[in-house]
Amino acid sequence: MIILIVGGGAREHAIARSLHLDPAVTELHAAPGNPGIGRIATLHTTDPDDGVSVASLAAQVRADLVIVGPEAPLVKGVADAVRKAGIPCFGPGAAAAMLEGSKAFAKEVMNAANVPTAGARVCTDRAELAAALDEFGAPHVVKDDGLAAGKGVVVTNDRAEADAHGAAILGSGGRVVIEEFLDGPEVSLFVICDGTNVVPLQPAQDFKRAYDGDEGLNTGGMGAYSPLPWAPADLVDEVVRTVAQPTVDEMARRGTPFQGVLYCGLAMTSRGVRVIEFNARFGDPETQVVLARLETPLATVLMAAALGRLPELPRLAWRAESAVTVVIAAQDYPAEPRKGDPITGVDAAEELEDVHVLHAGTTFDPHGALVSNGGRVLSVVGCGADLAEARARAYAGVAAIELPGSHHRTDIALAAAEGK
């Protein structure tokens, strides 16, 4: 099987790594990929947001399957262009990807499907913004309606900060979504969809704030772990029954079937499970730990979804081990991350037991040396018999890597490993 992966982050590197280990995959291609992906796949400079170019590349390399990783190409219709060219594609079309492209649209779908979620108001001017902030009160949850790379959300008790964030979104021509605050721990669950049927993966938990103790600004995610020893045994079944399947049914009813992965961002509130948000693709950094535990060949799963054949898929098999990933971020991330700093020690980290390193914001300098090229630079994944062992291995990998000015959280999965 020949597969083309669209994207170039740690999520796509995790997907590529899983496919590389799959005996059914004979060739891997990526556009644009990154230096880590380049070790196991052929890289192409094709613009990942240009559907016609991606479809042309897929035909050129004789791809049996195209996997679109990031949200921006999905919202721009890259999966539609690939399917129009007659090539199977894993990823929703532009209309279905609006579940992530517009939080207001996602709320509309959830309400139509009776999916449990936070109350919300969509604001298009300052008066509506002020009224919505008054209605829900603190803590204030202020979201950019559109795509914001995981950084368009502010949760704060400070009314002035909430108003300023909303005003900035309105000032740039966007819409603001004000939501009811949801208490309780957060859970991420990926659900594979073929337009009609759904197959859940294992849940994970990520850490959005930049610094230990959930301090600092929201980021794209600073680490994650799986499994969740504290989660209810019936959580996955409940989410499939009350969230994923009703949403996929509603999208099909609208004539815009959802084919790909539905990321369910959930809050375990005092009133039960509530949806915080939907994404139309694998989450980063949760993908890094979920795929590290998946035993069923990934290509089989994604091809079944792309062809509408999920019911033919055998029950997914999972490794009993735990996985923890820790993100190494560049200096000044998430504000204005510094680029061009040398990265050393990646090979040394990967020589450690049950440790692998996934590239995100990396590139080569003119002399061929590995340097930083983004905010979240590397994801270091450790696997072990339990979360404590997986944590120890992940942080040993982090310690082996040198990146001047970098920072990382030291508390990823700590509470769960301690049984809290």
Side-chain angles (χ1 to χ4, degrees):
M1 189 185 302
I2 300 172
I3 297 181
L4 169 63
I5 302 169
V6 178
R11 165 186 48 228
E12 287 75 36
H13 192 177
I15 292 169
R17 179 180 179 272
S18 291
L19 294 171
H20 177 65
L21 298 173
D22 187 339
V25 178
T26 55
E27 277 183 43
L28 268 180
H29 297 265
N34 62 44
I37 297 173
R39 289 185 168 190
I40 54 177
T42 302
L43 303 186
H44 303 268
T45 56
T46 305
D47 180 357
D49 291 343
D50 185 335
V52 173
S53 297
V54 170
S56 176
L57 173 62
Q60 177 189 325
V61 302
R62 306 184 314 282
D64 298 297
L65 176 67
V66 175
I67 300 165
V68 183
E71 59 273 26
L74 291 169
V75 171
K76 291 177 181 178
V78 169
D80 296 309
V82 172
R83 290 193 184 98
K84 186 177 179 181
I87 301 168
C89 185
F90 182 81
M98 287 307 290
L99 280 177
E100 178 168 4
S102 168
K103 294 175 180 63
F105 174 76
K107 287 290 184 184
E108 177 193 319
V109 170
M110 282 187 261
N111 290 335
N114 292 316
V115 169
T117 187
R121 296 289 179 268
V122 181
C123 308
T124 57
D125 59 38
R126 293 294 296 274
E128 291 177 348
L129 173 63
L133 290 173
D134 287 341
E135 177 183 357
F136 289 117
H140 304 289
V141 181
V142 186
K143 297 183 176 182
D144 189 331
D145 178 52
L147 297 180
K151 291 175 281 188
V153 180
V154 163
V155 181
T156 179
N157 286 307
D158 186 330
R159 169 63 182 257
E161 182 185 4
D163 186 69
H165 183 62
I169 295 169
L170 292 171
S172 64
R175 296 191 298 176
V176 179
V177 177
I178 304 298
E179 291 190 0
E180 165 194 15
F181 177 76
L182 297 176
D183 63 336
E186 296 184 12
V187 174
S188 301
L189 181 67
F190 304 145
V191 182
I192 307 297
C193 312
D194 67 3
T196 304
N197 309 285
V198 303
V199 173
L201 302 185
Q202 290 284 299
Q205 186 175 57
D206 79 332
F207 294 74
K208 287 293 187 190
R209 298 284 184 168
Y211 305 117
D212 286 4
D214 291 328
E215 297 291 333
L217 295 173
N218 258 9
T219 72
M222 294 297 291
Y225 70 94
S226 179
L228 310 182
W230 49 268
D234 63 347
L235 172 63
V236 172
D237 290 341
E238 180 183 352
V239 174
V240 167
R241 184 181 73 255
T242 65
V243 176
Q245 190 66 62
T247 299
V248 169
D249 290 345
E250 174 64 17
M251 294 300 287
R253 187 190 68 77
R254 292 170 177 238
T256 52
F258 191 94
Q259 200 167 22
V261 60
L262 180 66
Y263 169 118
C264 303
L266 310 163
M268 309 289 291
T269 78
S270 54
R271 295 171 294 147
V273 175
R274 297 288 186 273
V275 176
I276 301 170
E277 65 176 356
F278 284 143
N279 290 337
R281 38 74 191 181
F282 284 111
D284 180 343
E286 299 98 321
T287 301
Q288 289 88 301
V289 292
V290 172
L291 293 188
R293 299 186 55 233
L294 180 64
E295 203 165 62
T296 301
L298 181 62
T300 302
V301 178
L302 303 190
M303 184 62 93
L307 298 178
R309 296 177 179 171
L310 280 181
E312 301 171 20
L313 194 67
R315 184 180 179 87
L316 298 186
W318 295 90
R319 298 181 181 93
E321 64 189 4
S322 297
V324 172
T325 188
V326 180
V327 170
I328 299 177
Q331 179 172 317
D332 299 329
Y333 176 78
E336 294 293 334
R338 192 172 73 188
K339 298 181 180 181
D341 288 317
I343 304 167
T344 57
V346 172
D347 290 341
E350 295 212 294
E351 289 173 1
L352 299 172
E353 183 179 5
D354 286 325
V355 173
H356 62 271
V357 181
L358 301 169
H359 291 236
T362 66
T363 190
F364 293 117
D365 71 10
H367 306 290
L370 189 67
V371 297
S372 61
N373 190 43
R376 294 185 296 167
V377 180
L378 298 166
S379 286
V380 182
V381 183
C383 297
D386 55 25
L387 285 175
E389 186 171 69
R391 261 180 54 81
R393 287 173 174 167
Y395 280 107
V398 171
I401 296 170
E402 291 290 335
L403 172 60
S406 66
H407 64 95
H408 64 272
R409 285 186 59 157
T410 66
D411 60 352
I412 304 299
L414 178 59
E418 293 178 341
K420 298 176 183 176

